[in-house]
Amino acid sequence: MTYCVGMRLNAGLVFLSDSRTNAGVDQVGTFRKLSVFEIPGDRMMVMMTAGNLSISQSIRQLVSELKTEDGHSIWNAPNMYEAARLLGEAVRQVHERDAASLSAFGIEFNVSIIFGGQINGERCRLFQIYSAGNFIESHDENTYFQIGEAKYGKPIIDRVVTPATSLDDAAKCALISMDSTLRSNVSVGLPLDLLVYEADSLAVTHFVTIDERNEYFQMIRNTWGHQLKSVFEGLDAPVWNAAPEVAGNVLHSTNTGSKPVKVAPPPRVAIPAVSRSPLQTLSQQFHDGQQ
């Protein structure tokens, strides 16, 4: 499995991917899932993939060589939309060639792609491409895409990232998102590939491969965990059975009519008689304590 996230910001683009492809008990595979298509000064494009590795590698090879009837390729496409369309066409060609054979062996044609970058003369753009070769584009209302094990790292991005977020803050948020995923899912693993692109550079700006020895990522993992625990411990406990006049952190009050759905036991089940003390409200407990 994998986890990849791509962000489109006013300041540029951020891409982060893990490199785990298999997480069996005694077999862990590592393959790079982030690929760069670059002609410095003219274009810089990044592709990240999730799904079947053989499909992903076939698509990457094919799109690097594919040329349309009108002479367009990923190396000379006039804009990012046309480049994304060429990548979608490569997906369809690999599907046409391999899908039936894979299906005969019970293997689903499964691939998803994040593709983004900038071509000279237009702004940064970001796309998500599906197994059918169709795609959608990121806009200000949805400034990022995730593929693979997305659920663990999504909440922090939703709370933090906007188009105005700086590249450094977005990279930090992406790493926290990845850390959350690493902690919850063994199918995602180190090393990580992080690429940060400043708008209008038309070349890779910053790139690093992160392993378990990376000082900054270790700081992120330790500090984020401690801070989360501190915030959690700083939240007040809920108030139960509060009197109607009590305000503040009330989870349940005495005038609340909510009750659980109770399943009645069958007639043959003997129900022992149990004497129970009546529940006290907080006001009664307070009154008793004053006596």
Side-chain angles (χ1 to χ4, degrees):
M1 199 55 183
T2 190
Y3 174 51
C4 301
V5 57
M7 303 175 181
R8 183 189 64 81
L9 313 160
N10 296 338
L13 298 159
V14 172
F15 301 91
L16 178 66
S17 76
D18 83 314
S19 59
R20 180 158 294 175
T21 57
N22 190 3
V25 174
D26 58 357
Q27 182 181 6
V28 177
T30 299
F31 286 88
R32 307 284 288 276
K33 303 165 190 176
L34 186 152
S35 304
V36 176
F37 303 85
E38 180 188 58
I39 300 178
D42 180 66
R43 64 194 59 217
M44 195 293 302
M45 297 168 289
V46 175
M47 180 180 78
M48 297 188 297
T49 60
N52 185 290
L53 181 63
S54 67
I55 295 172
S56 300
Q57 291 185 346
S58 293
I59 291 169
R60 182 180 62 187
Q61 182 65 34
L62 183 57
V63 75
S64 69
E65 303 170 349
L66 183 64
K67 182 177 291 187
T68 62
E69 293 182 357
D70 55 5
H72 284 165
S73 72
I74 200 169
W75 304 108
N76 65 6
N79 52 60
M80 285 297 299
Y81 178 87
E82 181 65 18
R85 191 186 68 80
L86 284 162
L87 184 51
E89 177 60 27
V91 173
R92 284 188 287 269
Q93 288 192 22
V94 174
H95 180 275
E96 183 178 355
R97 187 190 68 193
D98 295 341
S101 298
L102 291 171
S103 179
F105 286 88
I107 302 173
E108 180 184 2
F109 188 91
N110 176 31
V111 67
S112 53
I113 301 171
I114 293 175
F115 178 66
Q118 186 176 24
I119 292 176
N120 192 21
E122 67 169 2
R123 60 180 174 82
C124 296
R125 301 175 75 174
L126 184 69
F127 301 86
Q128 181 170 351
I129 301 172
Y130 301 100
S131 294
N134 57 319
F135 55 85
I136 58 175
E137 181 173 3
S138 168
H139 292 287
D140 287 348
E141 295 77 15
N142 181 26
T143 193
Y144 72 93
F145 289 129
Q146 299 170 288
I147 54 176
E149 289 292 344
K151 54 185 175 292
Y152 306 102
K154 189 175 190 298
I156 179 63
I157 302 176
D158 286 339
R159 289 179 180 272
V160 172
V161 175
T162 70
T165 302
S166 70
L167 290 176
D168 283 345
D169 281 350
K172 177 170 61 177
C173 183
L175 289 170
I176 294 172
S177 172
M178 181 64 76
D179 176 58
S180 299
T181 308
L182 291 170
R183 286 181 178 273
S184 300
N185 195 308
V186 71
S187 70
V188 178
L190 298 167
L192 315 175
D193 281 340
L194 173 65
L195 188 150
V196 176
Y197 171 76
E198 294 180 9
D200 301 323
S201 298
L202 298 175
V204 173
T205 310
H206 299 294
F207 176 82
V208 61
T209 296
I210 298 170
D211 61 17
E212 64 277 359
R213 298 182 299 274
N214 186 276
E215 181 179 342
Y216 183 77
F217 189 60
Q218 286 304 316
M219 183 277 294
I220 286 283
R221 304 197 79 174
N222 296 330
T223 304
W224 180 248
H226 291 317
Q227 294 290 352
L228 273 181
K229 187 175 181 180
S230 296
V231 171
F232 175 80
E233 292 173 347
L235 296 174
D236 292 334
V239 176
W240 290 88
N241 300 322
E245 65 273 13
V246 174
N249 303 322
V250 174
L251 179 63
H252 174 270
S253 62
T254 54
N255 62 351
T256 300
S258 57
K259 295 181 179 179
V261 176
K262 295 186 177 181
V263 179
R268 65 179 178 273
V269 175
I271 302 176
V274 179
S275 59
R276 296 181 179 179
S277 301
L279 294 175
Q280 286 186 311
T281 65
L282 287 182
S283 60
Q284 290 173 329
Q285 295 173 23
F286 177 79
H287 177 74
D288 293 343
Q290 295 297 310
Q291 296 177 351

